Amino acid sequence: MNWLALRSTLATGNQAALDELAASLTEAAAAPPKLPDTAEGHRLAAALHAYATSTGRPAAAQPAEAGRPAASDNTQAEPELEVEAEVELQPGDERDEPEDAPFPALKLLKDAVGRSKMHPIKVIRSEERESGPWPLISEHMDGEPRWVHPDVTSTRVPYDRPNGKRVRRDRLDVPDMFGDGVLCLIDRNGSYPSACSAVPLAPNKLLHTGPLEAFDRGGAGIYLIDIPQWTRTDMPHPLGRIIDRPDDEGRVWVTTPHIKQLARLVRDGHLPAMPAIYDSWTGNANESLFKPFYEAARTARADLIQVGGEPYKSYKTRLSIALRLLWPKRQEQKSPFWRPDWRMSMVAEASVRHWTVAFKAVQEGHRLIALRNVDAAVFWTPPGTAPDTYRIGTGFGEVKAKFIQPGQMIPEGDD
């Protein structure tokens, strides 16, 4: 594989040259080679994954940390089925919504940042993105759990959507020793916009603050730490999939939400001590940068969920687009933002909240059998009985609960 050709082609957006590389790109995307654990290696791995996704070909490994083996789970792959992927940003998404839009999400997000007295830097200049903290930030810093109880078997099974698209869904097989029960599916409402209510961010540039004796609550950014030992088998590791991509010393980079989560677990006696901070890039912390956006999203949801139909669908779509525009991945994707640290801190905050509420349920005796991404959990419960640690409802901070019989496929979330 000619990596220089690939890098040049992606940088220039030359479609003809990309077509010429199609055969070798397809082969490399199907079986990615070990790439150097450097910023350049990370970018090439991400480029391979993006190519595989854009062409509908399955990528055989997660590329966010090049040179590391892909995380394994106890699912059975079925490569002939199409795997769902997050909808890509489209040209024009960076423009403000029309005046009559049900929810002008991007305009509201820009207004929220613009009103801050800390004079936030919305865009890191292109010439600065290849150095400093920016190459260290990856999608794996979201900390999504993606966990199944070790005594439960998870299998990927085919499912044909009403529109004819074939996808894959999970089926969870629970052992007899769990006793009688059903699968209780918990679907959290608006995990990402909810996280915007108080996500700790550094509005200005991240400065190299190096090793720290202790976490400073007045700062926010990214931190290089050891992976804390987690011995419980009834809950996933609090850092989620972050632990799947350690460096050669067994350390990982995390954002402020996960550092604060570890501090709470130490305070409550669930971890013996805070991990050492070997390196850091931080700035003055602010937890209210996105709060006006959160408040507008919460109010709009309360109104539009009653209306339903296209207005509510448009609300969800534009909200998702606005938050993805915090970190556009491709050079051709225009955006009023380029702050990977903001994006990953927001997603990490959603993951931390998701994990924390599930942990509270487990502590009160409920049996968790799967914790999936940032909004879905599966418990083993009596029929019709959701864990009482969750609030059932349609608002932010509330959840929907569904019940399915053992052996049935896990349905797709509808929010």
Side-chain angles (χ1 to χ4, degrees):
M1 179 70 219
N2 189 334
W3 300 114
L4 292 177
L6 171 60
R7 180 177 61 182
S8 174
T9 300
L10 291 169
T12 60
N14 187 330
Q15 185 60 48
L18 188 61
D19 291 341
E20 293 180 3
L21 291 171
S24 53
L25 279 171
T26 300
E27 180 181 355
K34 182 175 181 179
L35 294 169
D37 192 13
T38 62
E40 181 69 12
H42 299 171
R43 290 192 295 275
L44 289 172
L48 270 181
H49 182 72
Y51 176 81
T53 301
S54 66
T55 57
R57 299 177 176 89
Q62 293 290 340
E65 293 289 320
R68 304 286 174 209
S72 62
D73 56 26
N74 57 348
T75 61
Q76 300 175 3
E78 296 191 24
E80 74 277 6
L81 301 174
E82 184 177 356
V83 180
E84 291 180 280
E86 186 179 55
V87 177
E88 294 286 344
L89 294 172
Q90 301 298 323
D93 283 344
E94 75 282 358
R95 294 195 291 267
D96 286 349
E97 297 83 358
E99 292 295 329
D100 60 348
F103 183 65
L106 183 56
K107 183 177 184 300
L108 289 168
L109 184 59
K110 291 193 299 183
D111 289 347
V113 174
R115 72 173 65 177
S116 172
K117 295 181 180 179
M118 297 185 74
H119 306 291
I121 298 174
K122 295 189 294 183
V123 177
I124 301 300
R125 293 182 298 181
S126 299
E127 59 269 24
E128 298 177 0
R129 299 177 186 178
E130 304 301 316
S131 61
W134 313 115
L136 302 172
I137 299 174
S138 79
E139 290 284 356
H140 277 76
M141 294 171 76
D142 57 18
E144 288 189 352
R146 303 188 181 185
W147 174 86
V148 175
H149 192 287
D151 294 326
V152 173
T153 302
S154 176
T155 307
R156 299 289 273 172
V157 296
Y159 171 69
D160 293 321
R161 282 178 163 181
N163 63 6
K165 181 180 180 181
R166 171 165 270 206
V167 296
R168 291 185 290 176
R169 292 283 177 266
D170 290 336
R171 186 183 68 218
L172 301 176
D173 295 315
V174 178
D176 292 340
M177 65 180 180
F178 279 24
D180 294 334
V182 296
L183 301 176
C184 174
L185 279 57
I186 297 294
D187 184 5
R188 290 172 59 84
N189 300 322
S191 291
Y192 290 156
S194 292
C196 292
S197 63
V199 55
L201 304 168
N204 295 296
K205 286 201 301 186
L206 301 181
L207 301 178
H208 191 207
T209 42
L212 300 176
E213 291 186 4
F215 167 58
D216 178 5
R217 298 184 66 89
I222 63 173
Y223 309 82
L224 181 65
I225 63 171
D226 287 324
I227 297 174
Q229 185 177 11
W230 183 255
T231 59
R232 299 187 66 131
T233 59
D234 56 356
M235 278 293 297
H237 195 285
L239 295 183
R241 69 171 182 156
I242 293 174
I243 68 174
D244 296 333
R245 298 294 190 274
D247 64 14
D248 292 336
E249 284 74 37
R251 301 167 182 169
V252 291
W253 284 95
V254 300
T255 56
T256 312
H258 278 107
I259 284 285
K260 295 182 70 174
Q261 177 194 35
L262 297 180
R264 286 192 296 269
L265 291 172
V266 171
R267 181 192 64 206
D268 295 340
H270 302 298
L271 289 175
M274 280 291 288
I277 299 176
Y278 296 97
D279 200 0
S280 63
W281 290 80
T282 63
N284 291 330
N286 180 289
E287 294 190 357
S288 61
L289 189 63
F290 295 160
K291 189 172 183 179
F293 176 79
Y294 154 77
E295 292 174 341
R298 182 185 61 182
T299 300
R301 177 188 172 88
D303 295 336
L304 292 171
I305 200 170
Q306 302 300 323
V307 176
E310 284 302 317
Y312 182 55
K313 181 179 178 181
S314 174
Y315 160 82
K316 294 194 298 180
T317 299
R318 291 308 307 181
L319 193 152
S320 175
I321 288 171
L323 293 177
R324 290 206 307 274
L325 283 169
L326 289 171
W327 185 17
K329 302 297 194 308
R330 298 183 181 179
Q331 190 174 24
E332 67 271 18
Q333 292 172 340
K334 306 302 180 183
S335 174
F337 300 100
W338 197 89
R339 287 301 299 254
D341 54 327
W342 292 1
R343 167 70 184 181
M344 297 319 302
S345 293
M346 182 269 297
V347 180
E349 177 71 16
S351 291
V352 166
R353 295 184 181 198
H354 182 41
W355 188 96
T356 300
V357 178
F359 189 34
K360 182 179 179 181
V362 169
Q363 287 178 288
E364 296 195 9
H366 299 285
R367 189 187 291 275
L368 180 70
I369 64 171
L371 200 61
R372 302 142 48 88
N373 55 53
V374 300
D375 58 8
V378 186
F379 288 86
W380 185 249
T381 69
T385 307
D388 53 10
T389 52
Y390 289 92
R391 289 183 295 145
I392 307 298
T394 60
F396 286 167
E398 297 178 329
V399 304
K400 295 181 291 294
K402 299 178 181 178
F403 300 90
I404 67 170
Q405 294 299 315
Q408 292 185 356
M409 177 196 67
I410 302 296
E412 181 179 18
D414 61 359
D415 192 26

